[in-house]
Amino acid sequence: MKTLAELAEIREKMKGKVALREGSNETRIVVGMATCGIAAGARPVLGAFVEKVAQKGLGDRVTVTQTGCIGMCRLEPIAEVFEPGKERVTYVMVTPEMVDRILDEHLKGGKPVWEFTIGAQEKQGE
């Protein structure tokens, strides 16, 4: 378990890395960081998005943010991609290992990784 001081330090570090630019015309990646998301592993997913966006040179047009509960706890960790003029794409059961493909294929290549999305998961459950 982390101490309050350790958690405060992590929070301060993340504040510098996660920028919230409301009303901008850029792409946003939003990671669910409510209790259910954190318990399912959302913290390393958020960290991977922040790190990889910077590494891939996408920081000028992609913002990584966090939100509370997205409402689909059984599918956590969840990351939603909002691109100007396009429909939202919801990625579910996201792991840090999936982040490279999401950024390369979806944000750089323009094609969502459909196998990682909510629609693919719903079909598997049928």
Side-chain angles (χ1 to χ4, degrees), residues 6-111:
E6 289 173 315
L7 289 174
E9 184 180 325
I10 291 169
R11 181 174 183 259
E12 287 305 310
K13 283 182 186 176
M14 292 304 290
K15 273 176 139 179
K17 293 181 180 179
V18 179
L20 176 59
R21 298 181 198 146
E22 291 187 32
S24 70
N25 223 11
E26 61 186 23
T27 298
R28 290 183 306 130
I29 300 170
V30 180
V31 179
M33 291 289 289
T35 306
C36 52
I38 292 169
R43 193 176 315 274
V45 170
L46 177 67
F49 272 115
V50 169
E51 181 181 323
K52 298 290 184 172
V53 162
Q55 281 179 1
K56 294 175 183 290
L58 297 170
D60 60 330
R61 67 180 187 93
V62 177
T63 302
V64 179
T65 63
Q66 61 186 24
T67 190
C69 184
I70 295 175
M72 299 176 282
C73 299
R74 67 182 180 84
L75 299 175
E76 292 285 358
I78 296 172
E80 295 185 312
V81 176
F82 296 88
E83 295 178 281
K86 297 183 181 179
E87 286 200 32
R88 167 185 65 204
V89 177
T90 302
Y91 291 103
V92 296
M93 298 180 183
V94 180
T95 65
E97 294 76 26
M98 295 163 70
V99 170
D100 275 318
R101 278 193 65 196
I102 293 169
L103 294 176
D104 290 341
E105 294 177 29
H106 185 162
L107 297 181
K108 283 183 154 183
K111 296 180 182 177

